[in-house]
Amino acid sequence: MLGSGGREHALAWKLAQSPRCTTLWASPGNPGIADVIAAHNARSAGTVRGGCVPLVLTDHGAVAAFCNEHRIDLVIVGPEAPLVDGLGDSLRGAGIAVFGPGQAAAQLEGSKGFTKDLCTRAGIPTAGYVRAKSAAEAHAALAGFALPVVIKADGLAAGKGVVIPQTAEEAAATVDDMFGGAFGGAGAEVVIEEFLEGEEVSLFAITDGSAIVAFGSAQDHKRVGEGDTGPNTGGMGAYSPAPVLTAELEARAMAEIIAPTVKAMAEAGMPYSGVLFAGLMLTADGPKLIEYNCRFGDPECQVLMMRLESDLVDLLDACARGQLADAPAPMLSAESAITVVVAAEGYPAAPVSGGRIAHVPEAEAQGAKVFHAGTASEADGALVAKGGRVLNVTATGGTLRVARDRAYAALAEIRFEDGFWRGDIGWRELARQSALS
């Protein structure tokens, strides 16, 4: 498995539960993933089967050589950057099965403009938009949009390349910032979109390019501050399922958005294989696509893995080998799951690194699971922060409120002076439930 964040820790935790998982390697991994592998080895009578290795994921040849040397049957690519870089294609070319799309298909996340154009061709409901390749072009296009307006960096920007200006001055400044390098190469082109009214929700599906199965819903909390205030982040917490995406709305989204996308990609000669993560806006006209991600969300993956009752290896392996139609459909628990992100002070702009973290076992004793998102181990064994999002404290319960209470009880046990978290994860759904009670 490739990656080092909370998503990858959650995947490793679930993969290790499969009887088919005899050996688990991770690169680069993190201390939490190392603990998963150590526990897996201990269950195997002390046999060392796998570990964390420092491969350079941009060196496709080295990754393929490692996989062949260790007879790895399946590679799961966690983050989006290696997929957009074409690592999946390189590994498949070396005869290695991969869960994750090839480079051409990964454009669904790698280029927002690509996805918007595909939606236009395939009649997929989405916001009106204009693509702009220069600041002058973008400034001219802004005149055609009402405020607020959505401005997106076209390329990968770690979940932070979306700005929603409220005034004409803010919109103009955002355009200048993006073309001025605020998001690096991701802002070399921008997409300007109409602002959609409604509530955001995430829908996940697994496809091998032909067969498609739904894989649950979640709702993320992107803003850094409580009440959804402040700048966008990679995600400060999530819960699953998201009841606002009713069975009827999910069926519409699968039929009107997911299935036409898979069909259009296959017809374009770039069949999509892997997880398809659709960010949706539930408008008065029905679900509309905001954007696609070509990997499990982070932190949405954490709550999905907590609810998954099926064997993850069976599912991902069948997808990678084009046999999804013959695999049992994924089974998700009816329980609710919630995850709260513990971030380092200064996140998302300038997070503080090196802060010591303690009492993770005490937190898990409260009935939660703590996934490592940005941690490292010091020479003395101390756990320290290494990144903006540091921990994902995750719990389940018969109701969302029970899951929420367990997660926050676990959070109260953690000692991390440089850390902070939102205290209102799940607030929209909890408010709806309170109004009905």
Side-chain angles (χ1 to χ4, degrees):
M1 187 192 63
L2 304 179
S4 63
R7 167 184 49 228
E8 288 77 32
H9 187 181
L11 289 169
W13 173 75
K14 199 65 187 179
L15 290 167
Q17 296 171 25
S18 170
R20 290 184 61 190
C21 181
T22 57
T23 304
L24 180 59
W25 292 97
S27 180
N30 64 36
I33 295 172
D35 288 344
V36 166
I37 296 173
H40 182 264
N41 290 342
R43 291 194 298 272
S44 304
T47 303
V48 176
R49 295 179 173 179
C52 292
V53 291
L55 299 174
V56 177
L57 302 191
T58 54
D59 187 342
H60 297 188
V63 177
F66 180 90
C67 293
N68 282 321
E69 178 186 353
H70 294 275
R71 299 182 180 179
I72 290 172
D73 297 308
L74 175 66
V75 174
I76 298 158
V77 185
E80 62 276 19
L83 294 169
V84 172
D85 187 44
L87 179 57
D89 296 319
S90 297
L91 294 177
R92 290 187 184 97
I96 301 159
V98 180
F99 179 79
Q103 185 174 41
Q107 289 179 92
L108 282 176
E109 180 167 3
S111 170
K112 294 177 177 62
F114 171 90
T115 299
K116 299 297 284 191
D117 289 349
L118 179 139
C119 288
T120 298
R121 294 194 304 273
I124 294 167
T126 188
Y129 73 102
V130 170
R131 299 178 71 171
K133 295 185 178 181
S134 70
E137 216 180 324
H139 284 301
L142 283 172
F145 290 85
L147 294 167
V149 64
V150 181
I151 305 177
K152 299 178 177 179
D154 181 71
L156 297 180
K160 306 181 189 74
V162 179
V163 182
I164 306 177
Q166 303 295 312
T167 68
E169 292 76 17
E170 290 175 359
T174 297
V175 165
D176 289 338
D177 286 346
M178 287 195 178
F179 281 104
F183 298 102
E189 181 176 338
V190 304
V191 175
I192 302 172
E193 297 183 5
E194 67 171 323
F195 179 80
L196 295 176
E197 295 281 356
E199 190 165 341
E200 289 189 41
V201 68
S202 301
L203 174 63
F204 295 82
I206 305 289
T207 178
D208 59 7
S210 177
I212 310 168
V213 294
F215 196 80
S217 64
Q219 190 169 69
D220 188 14
H221 298 63
K222 283 290 186 188
R223 301 282 187 172
V224 73
E226 296 191 9
D228 293 325
T229 58
N232 272 330
T233 72
M236 293 299 294
Y239 66 91
S240 176
V244 70
L245 185 70
T246 63
E248 178 186 2
L249 288 173
E250 180 177 313
R252 281 191 64 180
M254 291 293 290
E256 298 172 13
I257 297 174
I258 301 291
T261 298
V262 173
K263 182 173 183 288
M265 293 295 285
E267 290 175 347
M270 49 184 82
Y272 189 98
S273 176
V275 61
L276 198 53
F277 164 10
L280 306 175
M281 184 68 78
L282 303 182
T283 74
D285 298 323
K288 292 189 177 184
L289 181 70
I290 300 171
E291 63 183 17
Y292 274 127
N293 292 321
C294 62
R295 35 70 188 183
F296 284 107
D298 189 351
E300 294 93 341
C301 182
Q302 290 82 316
V303 288
L304 291 172
M305 291 305 113
M306 291 288 281
R307 293 183 57 223
L308 182 63
E309 296 179 334
S310 306
D311 187 308
L312 184 61
V313 173
D314 285 346
L315 180 67
L316 303 193
D317 189 58
C319 179
R321 299 180 192 281
Q323 300 167 354
L324 190 61
D326 301 324
M331 299 293 294
L332 296 170
S333 166
E335 287 200 325
S336 292
I338 192 167
T339 188
V340 182
V341 170
V342 180
E345 285 293 345
Y347 179 76
V352 175
S353 292
R356 293 207 163 201
I357 304 161
H359 290 197
V360 170
E362 287 83 351
E364 293 191 326
Q366 297 297 316
K369 178 64 184 174
V370 179
F371 295 115
H372 292 228
T375 66
S377 293
E378 298 278 74
D380 62 1
L383 188 67
V384 299
K386 183 187 177 184
R389 294 185 295 169
V390 180
L391 301 172
N392 308 139
V393 180
T394 314
T396 59
T399 67
L400 180 59
R401 190 170 299 279
V402 170
R404 189 276 310 268
D405 290 347
R406 285 176 179 163
Y408 281 105
L411 273 163
E413 297 292 329
I414 290 175
R415 300 293 176 263
F416 176 30
E417 290 185 4
D418 293 332
F420 74 97
W421 57 85
R422 282 181 54 167
D424 64 345
I425 302 302
W427 69 270
R428 287 187 186 85
E429 183 56 32
L430 290 168
R432 275 190 286 268
Q433 293 177 6
S434 294
L436 293 174
S437 61

